[in-house]
Amino acid sequence: MIKIENGILYLTAGEACCVFKVAEDKTLRRVYFGKRVEFEDDVCALLGVRPESEGVRGGDFTFVRAEVLPDKPHGTLPTLVGGKTLVIELEDADKKLKAEIFVTPYSRGGFTRRVRVVNNGEKAVSLDCERTLFELPEPFEVVAVGRDGNIVKGESTPNGANNGLSNFAALLSRGADGNHSDAYGFLSVFGNGAIGAEQTENGMTVTCAPTVKKVKLGAGESVELPEVLLVYSDRGLGGMSRVFHDVVREFMTGKTVDRRPPTVMFATSPEKKLCAAAEVALELGCDVFAVDIGKVSRSSLDKVTAACHDIGIKAGVRINPYNIEKGSAAFGEGYTERTADGKYKVVDLKKFMSAFTALMQGYAFEYALIDLPWMGDDFGAQAMCEFRNEASKLSPELTIEWGVVPRKLRYAETLCYPTALMRTVVTAEAVESGALKTEFDAASVGRLGYELDPLELSDGVKRAIRAQVFSYQDDAPTALFGDLYRAGMTGGKSMTFVSKDKSKAYVVCVPTDGGVHKVFLTGIDEHNLYHVREMNKTFSGAALVCCGVTVGSANSFTLHLRQVADYE
C-alpha cells in the first residue's frame, strides 16, 4: 500500500513499512523503515528516530511533489520488475538539479529504491553518487558476504570495492539468531553497487557506493544510481533471507518461476566429439546440451545444434564475456581485446550484445547462460539485462540464466539470492576424486548442471548420474520454490527446504568431520507427523524441531520428509 497525506509518504510491504515526511522547510525526511506501524501513529514520536534529510550528495534538494504510478518505470540500469511505485521529485533551484526517488513496495515484503538526477542547468555539476540508505540509532551486528565466499560478521563493514565485499549486507539486533529478532537486509540485486555498514557516533549507517562514485553532469545530462532492495524481518537472518528469495525469485526474472528449470550438460568434450557427447547427455536424462561459444567455432556450432535437434535434446550456449578464444563463435573484431593469458575479453558491451543477439537469432537455441566470475557483477549484470530484453523479443521461450555459482559461494549467497536462480554444477574433478555424491548433494539445492565430458564416464558413473538426475527432478520443486531454513547440525552445514504448504521438506547435510551428527529441523509444522524416507520412521514435527534426528555419516547425506497424511 502507498498512502500520501498531510506531508507523510507511507508505504507498506508485508510486515514492514517505510515512511517519509516533508518538513516545514520543504526538505524530505527519511523517518522510518522497519516493523510495520499504522499510518495514524506519529512515527517520529513513537520510535524516537532522528529524521535524516533524503537527497543526493552534491546538491541542496527540497521537496516538489510526489505521485503514485500504476506500474514501475524502468531506467537505464537493470531493475527488478514491479507494480505500483511512489515517485518523489526533489529539486535544487540554485544548481538547476532535479532528483527523482523511485520506491516500490512488494507484497511479499521489501522495498526497492533507486535515484535519478538530471542537470537542467547550463553549467556542469559534480555529484557524489554514494548515498545513505538507512540509519539506526544503536549498534547492530553486521553480516556481509565476501567475494571469497565467507560470511563476514562484525560491527563495521566499510564501503568500497577494494575490501572484498559484495553487494549485500545485513544488520542484526543483539542476540539475533537464524529465526528470531530484528534483521535488516540490503542488496544491490544486479551487483552494480557495494553495500557498506559502519558504526558511527549516532549508531549504524548503511550506504551504497556504485562502481563510479563521483560523476560530473554536463548541461542536460542525467545519472541513475543502482537500485537497492531493502528488507526487514522480525524473524532473524533466516526470515530476512526468505523475503529476499520470494522477491528476487519472482521479480528479477519478470515472471513467476513456477516450473522446474532444465538440467544442463555443459560439455567439455573436444569439438569433433560434441555431437556424440550430446547423445550421451540425452541418455543421462539431461534436458539441455550446452556448448561454450567462446571456445567452439561456428562450424562446430552448426553441427552440434543440428545434432541436438535431430536426437531430441535442447541446444544451449554458454558465454563468459571475460574468456573468449580467437576463432570462436563469440569472437569479433572491435569489441574484444587480448588479455595477458592470451584469451580475449569483451570491452565494448554494445557491439558485443548486438553480435551476440544476432548469433542467437541465427540459431535455434533454447537455452543461454551468461557465465560470470561471481554472482552480482556490474558488467555482466548489465549484459544479462540487455541480452534478456532483446533475446526475449526474438524468442519468448528462450531460457536465460546468469552465471554458475562456485561451490564455496553457494551457502553464503543463499543469504540473498534464491537457489531457484543459482546454477550449480558437478564437475569432472568430483568424478575423478570420488566425490560425485557430495558434489551432487551440494548442487541439488540449486539449478543442477554437469560440467564434464560425458564420453569419458564409466558405465557405473553414468548409472549414478542418471539416478541423480531423476532424483533431482523429484526434489527440485521443494528445493527451488520452497522456503529455505538453515537447520542446526553438529559437525557440518545443513540446509532445509520446506514446501510452501509445509507438506514436504528436503534436507541437505554436508559434514565437516566424521562420526555421528544431529540435525535439528526448522520450518516444518510442529503439529503434524512427518515420515523420514531415509530412516523409514515417522516423527512429530515438534520432535524433529526440538530433538532432531541422529545420523552417522562421514559423507554428505540428504533427508526427505513428507507429512504422514500425504504419505502413501
Side-chain angles (χ1 to χ4, degrees), residues 233-252:
S233 174
D234 60 2
R235 292 167 292 158
L237 189 61
M240 180 211 68
S241 67
R242 285 187 288 278
V243 175
F244 270 122
H245 283 213
D246 281 342
V247 175
V248 176
R249 176 170 53 201
E250 180 170 351
F251 296 99
M252 184 176 184

Side-chain angles (χ1 to χ4, degrees), residues 279-335:
E279 294 185 18
V280 179
L282 179 64
E283 294 173 6
L284 295 176
C286 294
D287 303 298
V288 176
F289 183 76
V291 296
D292 192 332
I293 62 171
K295 295 182 179 180
V296 302
S297 64
R298 290 211 175 197
S299 60
S300 295
L301 201 58
D302 282 326
K303 294 176 183 178
V304 72
T305 303
C308 287
H309 293 159
D310 289 341
I311 64 176
I313 190 172
K314 294 180 179 179
V317 295
R318 177 180 186 173
I319 176 64
N320 183 337
Y322 300 92
N323 192 351
I324 298 173
E325 295 181 4
K326 189 173 183 179
S328 68
F331 177 82
E333 299 292 343
Y335 60 78

Side-chain angles (χ1 to χ4, degrees), residues 8 10 19 21 31-32 37-49 51:
I8 296 178
Y10 173 84
V19 183
K21 185 175 182 179
V31 177
Y32 176 69
V37 294
E38 296 307 316
F39 178 80
E40 291 75 15
D41 295 330
D42 185 345
V43 180
C44 297
L46 178 67
L47 300 166
V49 177

Side-chain angles (χ1 to χ4, degrees), residues 57-134:
R57 297 181 187 181
D60 186 12
F61 290 92
T62 57
F63 177 82
V64 177
R65 64 188 182 93
E67 66 174 326
V68 179
L69 300 181
D71 201 4
K72 182 178 181 180
H74 292 285
T76 57
L77 295 180
T79 62
L80 295 178
V81 296
K84 288 186 177 180
T85 298
L86 174 66
V87 181
I88 308 170
E89 184 179 328
L90 309 173
E91 70 172 0
D92 182 332
D94 293 334
K95 295 183 178 180
K96 306 297 183 183
L97 293 175
K98 181 179 80 169
E100 292 176 309
I101 302 174
F102 301 87
V103 187
T104 305
Y106 293 88
S107 60
R108 299 179 186 273
F111 305 85
T112 55
R113 279 182 47 195
R114 62 186 170 96
V115 178
R116 178 174 179 264
V117 183
V118 181
N119 182 5
N120 290 323
E122 299 179 354
K123 297 181 179 179
V125 178
S126 296
L127 290 177
D128 185 346
C129 293
E130 180 175 293
R131 67 193 193 279
T132 300
L133 297 174
F134 183 53

Side-chain angles (χ1 to χ4, degrees), residues 293 319-321 324 330 334-336 346-361 368-370 372 379-392 394 400:
I293 62 171
I319 176 64
N320 183 337
I324 298 173
Y335 60 78
T336 56
V346 171
V347 291
D348 190 321
L349 179 61
K350 187 173 182 179
K351 289 183 179 179
F352 168 67
M353 295 316 303
S354 177
F356 193 13
T357 304
L359 180 69
M360 293 297 296
Q361 191 174 12
L369 175 82
I370 299 180
L372 308 173
F379 176 90
Q382 294 186 55
M384 176 191 172
C385 183
E386 292 187 28
F387 171 65
R388 184 184 66 201
N389 292 342
E390 291 300 319
S392 296
L394 300 173
I400 305 172

Side-chain angles (χ1 to χ4, degrees), residues 551-562:
V551 179
S553 177
N555 301 314
S556 64
F557 58 92
T558 60
L559 301 173
H560 294 78
L561 283 70
R562 182 177 292 184

